Amino acid sequence: MTTRLRAVLAAALATLIAVAVLGSAVDVLVARHLRQSLDSTLRARGIEVAQLAASTPALLTTPGALDSPIGTTLAMVQVVDRRGAVVARSVSLGGRVLPLTLARRAIGGRPGYATAEVGGTKLRVFTAPIAASGGGAAGGAVIVAATTDDVEDTIRAVHALTTFAAIAAALVGATAVWLLLGRALRPLERLDRAAAEIGRTGDSTRRLPDPDRRDEVGRLAATLNEMLATLERAREHERQFVADASHELRTPITALRGNVEHLARHGATPELVADLKADAERLARLAEDLLALSRETAAAAPLAEVDLGALARDAGADDVVAGPVVVRGDRDALARAIANLVENARSYGKGTVRVVTAAQDGSALVRVSDDGPGVPDGDRERVFERFHGQGSGLGLAIVRATAERHGGRAYVEGATFTIELPAVRKASEATGNLVDEEPEKGES
């Protein structure tokens, strides 16, 4: 069952239930009102006849005196004396006689309502006592009855109207939801077809059609297109990485093959062995850097606490100012990143290599600098690219990848390379314990 059909059925069922509940409440209220109105009319007519019987009983036998309309029919009135004998009756009774058992309570002075069936007709009956203040029917009772057909017909009409309204409302609601969802889902259907085509062709350069809407569908299309763009960039980086790695591996492998062929022809010499060893070491470093970079770009964010000051002291720099700053990180990866910066400064810088660690505005900083001229402004970003520079060309790329995996960044200003990471807290040199970086109130 499709989402559209489920929504239509749910809307129809909800509408049907809501209207049915409302209609049932209306039925109850209308039925109660109609029955109360009939009872009120019967009571008023019964009291009126009882008063007439008590005051001027002679009028009871006047033709038509007891006949009065109730709804679309005439009221049926029967007057009995205290012994139950019929004193007067309305013309509307015809040949029917109202049961005298209904008058017994009224003769005893207690009025009341009852439901009876006379001649196959269902009647609502009210009995009223006659005050013993005159002759004739004094001390008897008045029985007033009316058919309930009008009330029942009206209630059935309300039932039918409620049922029709519920079904009509459900159909209207279902139709409205069907049309609205059809229009709302049409862009999703186009997105689905486009996404299926992209999945079939594997072409990450293609994009999903823009639904030209600013609702949830429009935001979904924009998000998916951003995801496709990210995947395209990742694939392009992967292709470039494979191409660069193949190029970088080709040189040492070619040299190694040449030296091996020379070894097979002329035998080993100290110079040849040294060349073979250098080629093997270069390949090992390149493979190690490739694996390290792959781990940094794919590994999860680390959670262990690491003191950057301790890592700086072990990096082998000429001058170390190691403020004890703690971050959450991968100790081995951070140690490698700092060592790469120190090695880069020794290989391409001049003079003294310095390492400084410090906390600043909630960040942990590791700065590695030398006395050289530094990196030109135009190359500040390029130096962190893969295979840029001499050696394996991956040292600074690993530094940036490590910093970004730890939620920070790596950048260069002149001859100073900086790793900036979120600081957790700083270590107290006096106690050797870890304390919160934010000072207590009153500290300066």
Side-chain angles (χ1 to χ4, degrees):
M1 188 180 296
T2 63
T3 301
R4 187 180 186 184
L5 184 55
R6 286 199 300 267
V8 168
L9 293 178
L13 182 60
T15 304
L16 187 63
I17 293 174
V19 177
V21 171
L22 179 61
S24 299
V26 171
D27 286 348
V28 171
L29 294 177
V30 169
R32 180 183 300 175
H33 174 74
L34 291 175
R35 292 189 175 107
Q36 287 177 349
S37 177
L38 178 60
D39 288 349
S40 178
T41 303
L42 291 174
R43 180 183 179 86
R45 183 58 177 158
I47 293 175
E48 180 184 354
V49 174
Q51 292 173 348
L52 180 63
S55 60
T56 55
L59 294 177
L60 296 178
T61 57
T62 303
L66 299 180
D67 290 303
S68 62
I70 294 181
T72 60
T73 62
L74 293 175
M76 304 175 190
V77 182
Q78 184 173 285
V79 182
V80 298
D81 60 16
R82 63 194 319 169
R83 292 185 300 274
V86 177
V87 175
R89 59 201 307 274
S90 63
V91 177
S92 59
L93 272 172
R96 293 171 291 189
V97 178
L98 298 177
L100 297 178
T101 55
L102 301 175
R104 289 175 182 172
R105 293 181 60 188
I107 293 173
R110 291 179 297 172
Y113 294 96
T115 300
E117 187 172 335
V118 178
T121 302
K122 189 175 180 181
L123 302 177
R124 183 64 172 169
V125 181
F126 175 74
T127 56
I130 300 174
S133 60
V142 176
I143 307 172
V144 182
T147 179
T148 60
D149 290 345
D150 288 348
V151 173
E152 298 302 328
D153 289 344
T154 303
I155 292 175
R156 282 192 292 271
V158 173
H159 286 167
L161 179 62
T162 300
T163 302
F164 174 78
I167 296 175
L171 291 176
V172 171
T175 303
V177 172
W178 178 269
L179 295 176
L180 289 175
L181 279 182
R183 183 174 181 180
L185 294 177
R186 199 169 297 117
L188 286 179
E189 293 173 355
R190 290 197 296 268
L191 292 179
D192 178 66
R193 289 193 297 269
E197 183 65 18
I198 292 174
R200 186 185 66 82
T201 60
D203 185 3
S204 61
T205 61
R206 300 181 62 175
R207 296 293 179 266
L208 300 176
D210 185 3
D212 194 21
R213 301 167 60 159
R214 297 193 178 275
D215 57 3
E216 293 83 354
V217 177
R219 291 194 294 270
L220 174 63
T223 301
L224 292 176
N225 282 329
E226 290 176 2
M227 180 188 69
L228 289 173
T230 302
L231 292 176
E232 181 186 4
R233 289 193 296 270
R235 176 172 291 187
E236 181 60 30
H237 289 164
E238 180 182 354
R239 286 196 294 264
Q240 186 63 40
F241 179 76
V242 171
D244 292 341
S246 300
H247 175 74
E248 293 294 326
L249 287 170
R250 186 179 296 112
T251 300
I253 289 177
T254 300
L256 184 61
R257 290 177 62 183
N259 286 327
V260 169
E261 291 177 0
H262 187 275
L263 175 64
R265 292 177 182 177
H266 305 288
T269 64
E271 295 80 4
L272 181 59
V273 171
D275 289 342
L276 288 172
K277 184 177 180 181
D279 292 338
E281 290 178 350
R282 184 178 178 183
L283 280 173
R285 285 196 303 271
L286 182 58
E288 184 179 353
D289 287 344
L290 286 171
L291 290 174
L293 185 58
S294 176
R295 285 194 298 266
E296 288 303 320
T297 55
L303 299 176
E305 293 187 351
V306 180
D307 183 3
L308 293 181
L311 298 184
R313 286 189 289 271
D314 296 336
D318 301 325
D319 184 13
V320 179
V321 180
V325 182
V326 176
V327 299
R328 294 191 185 280
D330 181 337
R331 181 182 181 85
D332 293 339
L334 291 173
R336 182 187 184 97
I338 298 174
N340 282 356
L341 291 181
V342 171
E343 181 181 355
N344 182 75
R346 289 197 183 282
S347 299
Y348 309 111
K350 293 182 180 180
T352 302
V353 177
R354 291 174 293 276
V355 179
V356 177
T357 62
Q360 178 179 321
D361 298 331
S363 298
L365 303 178
V366 179
R367 294 190 176 98
V368 179
S369 59
D370 59 72
D371 297 329
V375 178
D377 293 344
D379 292 336
R380 287 186 177 183
E381 289 297 321
R382 293 185 58 209
V383 294
F384 289 101
E385 294 178 356
R386 297 173 178 179
F387 304 110
H388 179 80
Q390 301 178 4
S392 69
L394 295 175
L396 295 181
I398 294 173
V399 171
R400 169 165 284 185
T402 301
E404 291 177 349
R405 180 164 73 96
H406 287 73
R409 62 188 183 119
Y411 56 92
V412 59
E413 295 175 339
T416 301
F417 285 81
T418 302
I419 298 175
E420 181 179 341
L421 305 175
V424 177
R425 48 187 176 173
K426 62 182 180 181
S428 172
E429 291 182 326
T431 62
N433 297 324
L434 295 176
V435 298
D436 291 341
E437 186 177 1
E438 293 295 329
E440 296 289 335
K441 290 184 177 180
E443 293 183 358
S444 60

